[in-house]
Amino acid sequence: MRRSLPYRARAAALGLASALSLLGSLISSSAAEAADERGADDARAPVTIVVSPDGTPPHGADVAPAPKGDHRVGTLSAAQDLARRLAGRHDVVVMLGGGTYDLRSPLRFTSADGGRNGHTVTWTSAPGQRAVLSGGSAVSGWSRHDAAKNIWVARVPRGTQSRQLYVNGKLAPRTGLRLAADKHDRGDLVFTERGITLKDPALGYLSGLPNQSDLEIESVGSFTDRYSPVEAIRGNEILMQQPAWDNNTFGYDTLTAPYARGALYLNNSYAFLNSTGQWYLDSSRGLLYYRTAAGATMLGLDVRLPRLESLVQVAGTYDRPVTNLSFRNLQFSDTTWLDPSSPQGYVDQQSGAHAVGTYARPADALSSCQDGCPQFEATRNEWHQIPAAVQVSAARDVSFTGNTFTRLGDVGLGLGMDPNAHASGVGYGAAEITVHRNGFTESAASAIVVGGVQPDAHHPRDGRMVNHDISIVDNTVTGVSQDYKDNAAILSTYTTRATIAHNSISDVPYDGIDIGWGWGINDPGGNAYYREAGLYEYQPIHTTPTTFRDNVVSHNLIHDTKQVMNDGGSVYTLSASPGTVIERNYIHDNKATLGVLIDQGTRYVVMRDNVVVGASRWVYVNSDAENPDTFNTKDNLITGNWWDVGPARNPEGPGYNNRLLDNVQVTDGVWPAGARRVMQEAGARR
């Protein structure tokens, strides 16, 4: 299959962009009118619009009638325009021919793009083919730059920026220098309000590095993975950009004082191009460097450099949501997210939520605010989320079936997240959304995120904001969250009636499935622990429940989690969720960490009939307080589960009412029939 050229490049080459655009609009109108006339006798007759990725329209026009009521177009925009005209009278199928569509801007779907009057609109690959919607471009023209080190170089447009590079479909690592292996290996580093002082004279060469503002510090903690950009290196002092440095060095599991793990890196310099498969982009000169294995060349390598942050934006309004829209058998690829490279950095708090902005902090924050403080609590209600390659908000009855999400520099699929995570500026309002039989891999962040973390997510001002009736079933997720390692594979925050079932999740650095948010602070009466921390100086104590209720996490196969992080659980919960059930999941090989973590504020959850193998604690109920009035992890039922090693952890003092009943430990490897049935039934079904 011949690879496509960018549409802009094709039009420039033909010298007919304006003419074709005008002609395409005229013919689109005529074609739509003709279709409407044909449909007068049978308004239910489906219409198929065929798109060719090479952009060569038949008969020299953007649109031309095709046999049997179908139409052929040469561009995605022409297909979208025609589909809009037909969607009120017909079921419309936009069929993309196999190949790569290099997008110059995201595809935006509003209420005009969905099915109307009971009709549907479906975007799909042609039968037996795979259409790839790409936010990047292929890199070619490689030449040998340093033969001794096997470093190659290619020219890209000056000013090109990207945090990801994909080689033969895999995420290539950026260059980096490890400054400390863990939190105990930091004797040669002194943290200051300005940055880091290096005591090791062997690191003196760092002050001579070029492009010092390209550098950034990364710190991997227990549940945070923080990025902070460098301003300059002067002598033995690494000076950091603000406000990322201030925000990354106070709160919980901070860059300067991680709870555990705590590896620290200086990333992104040509000087660190020391390992096979690494790359470095010199944006100012427009040069991309890549290091091959000894004796290898770039011949035959498929190298793609992403440019766009998102590929598809589905967003109506609360008055006019997008409805009856489907995406089937497509591939979404090649995005990047540049915010961590800005002075804001990536001030990670947990599972993609990060602080943005400038905040007051104690004068002695490096000592007094490494496990929370009142000033830090001011940030909590303003955390942002990582945007998604495919974004859905203010939409109803939208489905994703049989698609592949791969080579993505942000979240794969984002449903009803906070407005800051949607390019449209409209968040929430995702209802009756189906995500079935998709594959997610090779991404920088979570595969799927449902819901937001800001106040309108848990106590919406408008009832139409509520995210509800979300079905995430039979998906396969592997190798995600590679750059932002704190991200759960699947995260659902404040959602009503989310079903997360029969998914296969593996090879992730943090958690498998996380549900809920807020540590109980937004539940009726709040959380006394955070009252003492000073949170309620910045937000009210709510008296009504959140929108988090009636969720089901069942029949999921979750293994090889916790590749990097040690906090969290393969399944993890936060806050009160009446009617929520966690059942019949099979969890194994999670690096001997926690199987299921019932964390702060979790209430009214039933955990039953799960199998947990090889965890340090098969279930951990976090009620870390002698006084149950201080912590509000209460009223949960944990029953009928099987595990092999690692005890439960559950403070069962008066007032907690967390009941562990009829759970069975298997010490001889002979699992009862009920447990074997759970193992057999868990995971994605074909």
Side-chain angles (χ1 to χ4, degrees):
M1 177 63 63
R2 179 161 67 92
R3 288 191 174 276
S4 65
L5 292 173
Y7 296 121
R8 185 177 301 168
R10 291 198 301 269
L14 294 173
L16 297 174
S18 299
L20 285 177
S21 176
L22 176 60
L23 182 58
S25 298
L26 294 173
I27 298 177
S28 291
S29 299
S30 299
E33 291 167 3
D36 283 346
E37 291 175 3
R38 285 196 311 274
D41 295 329
D42 185 2
R44 293 173 299 174
V47 174
T48 300
I49 302 169
V50 179
V51 188
S52 172
D54 62 10
T56 305
H59 313 302
D62 249 5
V63 181
K68 299 182 181 179
D70 290 347
H71 304 274
R72 296 187 180 277
V73 300
T75 65
L76 297 175
S77 60
Q80 187 174 25
D81 181 66
L82 182 54
R84 285 173 175 169
R85 296 171 182 270
L86 299 174
R89 295 181 60 85
H90 304 270
D91 289 345
V92 178
V93 177
V94 180
M95 186 177 296
L96 309 187
T100 298
Y101 297 76
D102 288 337
L103 304 180
R104 288 301 176 183
S105 60
L107 294 174
R108 297 179 173 89
F109 295 85
T110 69
S111 58
D113 294 292
R116 301 182 298 279
N117 302 323
H119 295 290
T120 62
V121 175
T122 301
W123 286 65
T124 183
S125 297
Q129 301 181 34
R130 177 54 61 112
V132 180
L133 300 180
S134 170
S137 54
V139 181
S140 58
W142 294 92
S143 61
R144 198 183 304 272
H145 177 73
D146 186 330
K149 293 185 176 181
N150 307 302
I151 297 174
W152 296 73
V153 65
R155 292 197 172 276
V156 298
R158 290 178 184 269
T160 297
Q161 296 186 48
S162 180
R163 294 181 63 86
Q164 282 78 32
L165 183 74
Y166 304 103
V167 180
N168 286 349
K170 298 291 185 180
L171 179 65
R174 294 197 302 164
T175 61
L177 172 68
R178 191 172 70 181
L179 296 177
D182 56 42
K183 65 176 294 184
H184 306 293
D185 182 32
R186 297 188 172 200
D188 289 330
L189 306 175
V190 178
F191 295 97
T192 70
E193 296 290 339
R194 289 162 49 92
I196 301 175
T197 301
L198 304 170
K199 295 165 61 177
D200 184 353
L203 298 176
Y205 75 96
L206 296 177
S207 63
L209 295 178
N211 300 333
Q212 293 182 0
S213 61
D214 286 354
L215 296 165
E216 61 190 23
I217 293 290
E218 178 188 8
S219 176
V220 181
S222 289
F223 58 86
T224 62
D225 184 14
R226 298 169 178 267
Y227 290 85
S228 210
V230 170
E231 178 180 309
I233 303 178
R234 300 285 184 263
N236 68 339
E237 189 172 15
I238 303 177
L239 304 176
M240 305 300 296
Q241 295 186 43
Q242 297 288 9
W245 185 249
D246 276 353
N247 291 342
N248 264 319
T249 55
F250 82 142
Y252 298 89
D253 198 31
T254 66
L255 184 152
T256 41
Y259 290 152
R261 304 293 170 95
L264 193 75
Y265 303 88
L266 180 64
N267 294 335
N268 202 35
S269 172
Y270 176 87
F272 307 151
L273 198 56
N274 297 319
S275 299
T276 298
Q278 289 183 320
W279 65 284
Y280 170 70
L281 174 61
D282 187 336
S283 177
S284 62
R285 299 174 63 199
L287 297 174
L288 176 64
Y289 299 92
Y290 181 79
R291 181 163 180 161
T292 66
T297 71
M298 301 300 293
L299 185 65
L301 293 184
D302 177 21
V303 181
R304 296 195 65 84
L305 185 66
R307 293 172 286 96
L308 298 184
E309 181 175 282
S310 63
L311 303 169
V312 172
Q313 301 164 5
V314 178
T317 65
Y318 300 133
D319 289 328
R320 297 186 63 188
V322 181
T323 60
N324 302 317
L325 181 64
S326 297
F327 299 89
R328 292 177 175 271
N329 301 320
L330 300 170
Q331 179 172 315
F332 304 101
S333 292
D334 306 323
T335 61
T336 190
W337 177 52
L338 298 177
D339 283 18
S341 299
S342 77
Q344 294 287 344
Y346 178 56
V347 185
D348 178 25
Q349 305 303 324
Q350 185 168 320
S351 210
H354 56 282
V356 173
T358 301
Y359 296 92
R361 47 185 256 146
D364 61 348
L366 292 181
S367 58
S368 70
C369 194
Q370 301 303 300
D371 193 31
C373 60
Q375 293 92 328
F376 172 77
E377 296 303 322
T379 74
R380 192 180 294 272
N381 268 337
E382 300 177 8
W383 293 348
H384 284 214
Q385 293 179 292
I386 298 174
V390 178
Q391 307 174 0
V392 180
S393 64
R396 187 181 71 250
D397 196 9
V398 174
S399 66
F400 296 86
T401 306
N403 303 287
T404 298
F405 296 75
T406 187
R407 306 195 313 251
L408 300 173
D410 40 15
V411 171
L413 176 61
L415 306 175
M417 299 169 72
D418 292 319
N420 59 68
H422 291 271
S424 66
V426 180
Y428 316 124
E432 300 174 35
I433 310 297
T434 300
V435 184
H436 287 184
R437 298 194 302 277
N438 303 280
F440 297 81
T441 189
E442 292 300 320
S443 71
S446 294
I448 305 169
V449 174
V450 184
V453 301
Q454 292 194 349
D456 272 330
H458 52 78
H459 285 88
R461 291 170 290 175
D462 186 325
R464 294 172 297 179
M465 293 179 171
V466 176
N467 298 311
H468 64 87
D469 296 290
I470 310 296
S471 177
I472 301 172
V473 177
D474 285 322
N475 302 284
T476 299
V477 179
T478 184
V480 300
S481 307
Q482 294 188 32
D483 284 342
Y484 310 110
K485 304 173 188 66
D486 65 298
N487 280 219
I490 297 175
L491 168 67
S492 180
T493 63
Y494 295 106
T495 309
T496 299
R497 294 186 300 277
T499 297
I500 306 173
H502 279 290
N503 301 288
S504 294
I505 300 171
S506 64
D507 190 24
V508 293
Y510 185 47
D511 294 353
I513 298 173
D514 287 5
I515 59 171
W517 195 260
W519 297 269
I521 61 180
N522 301 310
D523 293 325
N527 186 334
Y529 178 91
Y530 290 95
R531 184 183 299 118
E532 295 176 4
L535 171 66
Y536 296 108
E537 297 177 22
Y538 303 99
Q539 73 163 71
I541 296 177
H542 294 282
T543 59
T544 56
T546 73
T547 59
F548 178 38
R549 63 178 304 119
D550 299 319
N551 293 268
V552 175
V553 178
S554 72
H555 295 87
N556 298 286
L557 173 61
I558 305 170
H559 62 96
D560 291 288
T561 61
K562 299 306 180 63
Q563 298 284 334
V564 177
M565 304 302 198
N566 69 317
D567 204 326
S570 293
V571 173
Y572 175 89
T573 73
L574 281 170
S575 297
S577 187
T580 289
V581 177
I582 300 170
E583 63 180 351
R584 305 188 71 79
N585 301 285
Y586 177 28
I587 298 168
H588 65 89
D589 291 320
N590 68 346
K591 305 302 179 186
T593 56
L594 306 180
V596 179
L597 174 52
I598 308 296
D599 207 1
Q600 293 186 29
T602 300
R603 299 185 76 171
Y604 318 123
V605 170
V606 175
M607 174 187 164
R608 64 191 177 207
D609 301 332
N610 301 279
V611 176
V612 182
V613 180
S616 61
R617 293 183 184 269
W618 67 274
V619 63
Y620 189 107
V621 181
N622 188 5
S623 296
D624 290 334
E626 295 182 3
N627 181 359
D629 292 331
T630 301
F631 255 51
N632 56 351
T633 308
K634 306 176 182 179
D635 306 313
N636 301 292
L637 174 61
I638 302 166
T639 183
N641 302 280
W642 298 271
W643 85 99
D644 59 348
V645 296
R649 197 275 190 187
N650 177 36
E652 294 191 44
Y656 288 116
N657 193 34
N658 293 314
R659 293 167 293 158
L660 271 69
L661 303 174
D662 302 322
N663 300 290
V664 177
Q665 183 176 17
V666 176
T667 58
D668 57 4
V670 180
W671 295 91
R676 294 199 306 272
R677 191 173 304 112
V678 169
M679 295 175 175
Q680 293 165 359
E681 294 175 353
R685 297 162 297 187
R686 300 300 177 189

